[in-house]
Amino acid sequence: MTILPGPHALVDLASDDPSSTAATHERLLGREVGAGTDGRRAVAVGNVVLSLRARSDEADTHDVYFTVDDVSATRRLLDRRGHPLADSALGALGETSAVGIAARPDPVADPGSDLIGLDHLVFTCDNRDAAVALFAGTFDLDFRLDQPIGQDARQLFFRRGDLIVEVVAAPRPPADPVPSSPVTLWGVAWRSTDVDATHARLTAAGLDLSEIRVGRKKGTRIFTVRHRELATRTVVIGPEA
């Protein structure tokens, strides 16, 4: 799959209160979250389109669509690779996963905000090989790193353009229910050009933030945005001052 200019992914978050989620994202991103497809709210930020929908039930998960130039051709390819897709309001979603494809939108002009897109998406998975097969083998993401992070747990990194997909792979406790998708979106990390400026702006906007701390990736600093209204775990990451 050729990666062309424009957003590399469409992240469709399931929210218990989409209006509150949209309003909180407007404060976070410093830009308007407008009307989206099929009653959703949506906003494009650099390498990602963020879409917000009402959660249908407790089992309703967030969905991630990788953008492609030719949906029909890519859909046929994924079907031959054993990952059939079903039509959805935003594109085509995996019949057995919360990952699919959507048409690549045109690039959106940067309004000059300190948050310029997503640095990475974080998924969880109970099987390392299943994550590699899905993201690298099926969706052609560039598999960059596999490292142990604890007993029986591994941290995997994939890349699509300037968007990083991180997967924490660890065995599922036997008592936990079997998930409907082999991977689950756990959280997102927004990329800031100036972490101190973003922290100051969001503090002035009344958001509940952690202190800025040194990131795990060398040369980065990071802080957490502690608002359940965002519908998923959210951090901001950027370069050292």
Side-chain angles (χ1 to χ4, degrees):
M1 301 176 196
T2 302
I3 301 174
L4 298 172
H8 302 315
L10 190 162
V11 178
D12 191 37
L13 297 182
S15 169
D16 294 324
D17 185 347
S19 294
S20 177
T21 298
T24 308
H25 272 99
E26 287 184 341
R27 295 163 67 194
L28 170 70
L29 300 172
R31 65 189 75 190
E32 180 182 2
V33 177
T37 301
D38 196 29
R40 289 164 165 81
R41 304 289 298 276
V43 59
V45 188
N47 60 5
V48 68
V49 175
L50 181 68
S51 175
L52 311 173
R53 73 176 191 276
R55 187 186 304 277
S56 60
D57 55 51
E58 290 186 1
D60 191 9
T61 61
H62 307 315
D63 300 324
V64 173
Y65 299 78
F66 294 112
T67 61
V68 297
D69 195 46
D70 189 331
V71 171
S72 296
T74 305
R75 186 168 181 171
R76 290 193 297 271
L77 174 63
L78 294 179
D79 186 67
R80 292 199 301 271
R81 290 177 175 177
H83 192 78
L85 303 173
D87 290 334
S88 73
L90 301 180
L93 192 64
E95 293 182 355
T96 58
S97 79
V99 184
I101 56 173
R104 177 182 58 87
D106 293 330
V108 177
D110 182 2
S113 173
D114 46 20
L115 294 184
I116 57 174
L118 276 184
D119 188 81
H120 59 280
L121 299 165
V122 183
F123 290 86
T124 58
C125 182
D126 62 11
N127 185 294
R128 178 263 183 201
D129 292 343
V132 173
L134 179 66
F135 289 116
T138 301
F139 283 93
D140 279 344
L141 272 65
D142 185 9
F143 186 18
R144 305 298 295 269
L145 180 65
D146 175 357
Q147 62 185 8
I149 56 173
Q151 185 175 7
D152 298 327
R154 304 197 69 83
Q155 188 178 34
L156 315 174
F157 290 93
F158 306 84
R159 182 179 286 272
R160 183 174 178 83
D162 64 346
L163 177 64
I164 298 167
V165 171
E166 175 186 347
V167 182
V168 177
R172 174 177 49 84
D176 285 3
V178 177
S180 59
S181 171
V183 296
T184 302
L185 183 66
W186 186 86
V188 300
W190 291 98
R191 182 180 296 142
S192 171
T193 57
D194 185 329
V195 173
D196 292 298
T198 302
H199 196 277
R201 176 176 65 81
L202 299 183
T203 299
L207 293 183
D208 182 15
L209 313 174
S210 73
E211 296 297 321
I212 299 173
R213 58 191 183 275
V214 175
R216 290 185 178 180
K217 182 179 178 181
K218 184 178 180 181
T220 64
R221 300 163 74 219
I222 189 171
F223 65 86
T224 302
V225 186
R226 299 183 290 220
H227 279 266
R228 294 179 63 87
E229 296 89 344
L230 291 170
T232 190
R233 298 168 184 84
T234 301
V235 301
V236 173
I237 188 171
E240 289 181 336

